[in-house]
Amino acid sequence: MSDETKKREIFICRSTGCNSSNAGHIQDLLAKRIAENNLNVAIKKTGCHGFCQMGPIMVIQPDNVLYVQVQPKDVDLIVKNHLKDNNVVEKLLYTDPESGAKIKDMNKVNFYMHQKPIVKEHFGKIDPESIDDYLEVGGYESLKKVLSEYSPDDVIEELKISKLRGRGGAGFPTYLKWTFARRSKGQPKYLICNGDEGDPGAFMDRSTLESDPHSVIEGMVIAGYTMGSNQGFIYTRAEYPLAIDRINKAVDSAREKGFLGENILDSGFNFDIELKTGAGAFVCGEETALMASIEGKRGMPRPRPPFPANSGLWGKPTNINNVKTYASIPKIIAKGGKWFADIGTEESGGTIIVALTGNINNSGLVEIPLGTPIRKLIYDIGGGIPEGKKFKAIQVGGPSGGCLPAKFLDTPMDNSNLTKLGAIMGSGGFIVLDDETCMVELAHFFIQFTQTESCGKCAPCRVGTKKMLDLLTKIKSGQAEMEDLDKLENIANFVKKTSLCGLGQTAPNPVLTTLKYFRDEYIAHIKYHACPALQCKDLIQYNIDPEKCIGCTLCAKNCAVDAITGVKKEPHKIDESICIRCGLCYSSCPSNAIYKTTNEYPTEEGGSE
Amino acid sequence: MTEIVGKISDVEIQDLDEILEKHKEGKGNNVTLLQLIQNHYGYLPDYALKYVSSKLKIPLAELYGVATFYAQFSFTEKGKYVVTCCDGTACHVKGAPLLIEYLEDQLKIKSGETTDDKLFTLETVACLGCCAISPVIVINDVYYGNLTLNKVKKILKKVRKKASESTEAKE
């Protein structure tokens, strides 16, 4: 008996992030060594553990030890020290960025200890390609419960109690959406799972589909039963090959076990799922455009009404929800609507999954109760800003969202609070920006994105985003006048009010929020031809500090335009007239001798830099 | 039919007919049809679109309309190594533009182009969803994360070496 209780299991993350850093090879190597040493240790290939930045990641149970940034050469050490001699391998433990301490117990790692995994509950714990694993953790029990005990109205009532709102960004109450689709006349009815995660900076839908695809399928079957639909579609991006592969495997195995197909669990209910892959168009995240894309047309949105619940895919009643919305359903059925509602805020139940990235110590996938303040996310979970730099802003909600400065750090995160501040929750991409990020450049980046992705159907978005981009380019290069700021603001407000779909209506948000909260930076660019964050190429110079330069010639060798001259072992010089400000020398200097400068500009404190 | 399609070999007609056979299950979906053609050729050859258009009686303009709408579709042949640089927000604020500039400079092509020797295609995309390990590039389905300029240099060197070895082997 004692052997059995002691049996170790190693959970290796095999999601896109860790796979990119050799997790597959590490798993093979580990399996080989374990076999060679006749050890009674099992290896499980799992989905995302969330702490993607620290990949490759593995967790050893029952010891509850988390190893980060594991390299193939570390495998022998793990086998010898940990698996054979029961000594934890110190150097592979997570280091707390503040105290510098090595953390042995995974539950005490700051990144994990403040989280509340609901959608993420099984991530990193089950093999996403094994339906047996999902069944073992109670998978498809909610479906059984619904098909045997619940009427469709019961399901809707439970959702109403749960206060679940759509996780795709708009935050519409799910029970209402389902009620509309249920009441809508006409057959066939379709269900769509929107996994077209086009937001740059968001990867929670990918992770959910890669780590726990069956929870999405189970949620969709329950939805089908509730709304009277027999056919669902999962729409995801062609850029997510691993997610596509795992959905296909999950759908096949669910069919084999009778959770999909004809007469599911002998209930007489039929439901099946087909996978559709997008072909690279951000606008297809908008529901009417997404439906056009599934029909094989150009993915252009159309005016609503009619809403999809009445006339959607091929003109039939259709319900569209986000991946995480469907994945929440089995949990709500299993534990009850009240349990879910108690976790979130007054208006919205449950958790939010955040993709925390950018200039932050701990980046990855985080699930926290709705209403958690932004500060907790950044400092307690994210571990603050690296290299002692200062927090400047957080960009919330991708190209449709906004940039919020430090004064809003205590804002509880939910849809209505963020919308009030001019951002949106969006799908939950949170990108932390430090003081080296130029807000004008960032606004330019987002408008360039939305301008490229604008489908061109309506003039405000097609022409407006181009006009905004031109103005931002002018400001960025120091060629704008002060009146251009008013022009920019006017166009932004106009595009927001008059565009046909969500893309255009929200595209100006990055511009409007940076204008509102970082206007000084725009003024510095226009009036003083200065870029305070030292980022806009046309407004900065690169210099070499002769005291620090060791004359290694690396910068001169790297310079694409031969703007750097100097003799070996003597300080080098940059010729301003030739330099194209590509920054290659800056990032290749081993002695940090190269620094950037910009024109003087008045700062808030009245002094100058 | 050759009049409409132009020069097209029997082998290619056979290939395309096979694709159309597979596509029958696709319920007349033009996106899926174009994805099948692109998977086969690596891009959308003009003659293939013309052939499919006349065979299925779908106006050529409709096919081109769909193909030009989506970023996935390409009308030119891609290189042996497709280097995809992510310039999503997280990668962008962590220095992706510098990496892209470096690769453009080294490969002597702009993003979206292919080198004359058909070895490299350089692409920039808006997000690959690997933001926590940004900045990221992908070379033929292999992901490289947490990149710095020095790492990119090394990777490029390795890929170039592999490329020259395989061309030598062929000769």
Side-chain angles (χ1 to χ4, degrees), chain A residues 497-514:
Chain A
K497 275 185 208 133
T498 56
S499 289
L500 169 65
C501 83
L503 191 150
Q505 287 159 13
T506 57
N509 283 346
V511 174
L512 288 168
T513 49
T514 46

Side-chain angles (χ1 to χ4, degrees), chain B residues 139-156:
Chain B
I139 303 178
N140 289 0
D141 299 333
V142 182
Y143 287 68
Y144 300 91
N146 288 319
L147 291 176
T148 58
L149 198 62
N150 275 331
K151 282 193 198 164
V152 173
K153 268 187 201 168
K154 278 184 201 151
I155 293 165
L156 189 63

Side-chain angles (χ1 to χ4, degrees), chain A residues 43 135 148 150 379 388 402 425 439-440 447 475 485 496 516 540 548 576 606:
Chain A
I43 296 184
L135 292 172
S148 57
Y150 283 53
Y379 290 96
M425 185 90 96
M439 301 316 265
V440 178
I447 293 297
I475 298 171
L485 269 193
K496 193 177 168 114
K516 192 168 169 190
I540 57 166
K548 282 189 185 165
E576 257 311 298

Side-chain angles (χ1 to χ4, degrees), chain A residues 20 53 200-201 203 206 237 274 278-280 293-294 296-299 357 363 431 441 445-446 449 537 558 582 584, chain B residues 27 29-31 35 65-66 69-72 87-90 92 98 101 126-127 129-133 143 149 153:
Chain A
S20 79
Q53 181 204 15
F203 53 92
R206 171 179 68 69
R237 303 174 71 205
E274 196 180 318
S293 176
I294 292 183
K297 299 176 187 152
R298 288 166 69 91
T357 60
S363 78
I431 294 152
E441 209 280 334
F445 166 79
F446 281 122
F449 175 80
K537 270 186 188 179
N558 274 317
C582 67
L584 278 175
Chain B
K27 296 170 196 163
N29 185 321
N30 288 342
V31 175
Q35 281 171 337
V66 173
F69 185 84
Y70 295 100
Q72 189 192 1
D87 193 22
T89 321
H92 187 80
L98 179 69
E101 215 167 290
C127 188
C130 311
C131 318
I133 52 165
Y143 287 68
L149 198 62
K153 268 187 201 168

Side-chain angles (χ1 to χ4, degrees), chain A residues 391-421:
Chain A
F391 172 84
K392 180 172 186 175
I394 185 153
Q395 206 285 333
V396 186
S400 315
C403 294
L404 306 177
K407 66 174 170 183
F408 298 120
L409 273 177
D410 292 308
T411 308
M413 281 178 280
D414 68 15
N415 282 303
S416 62
N417 278 332
L418 293 174
T419 308
K420 256 183 252 158
L421 298 176

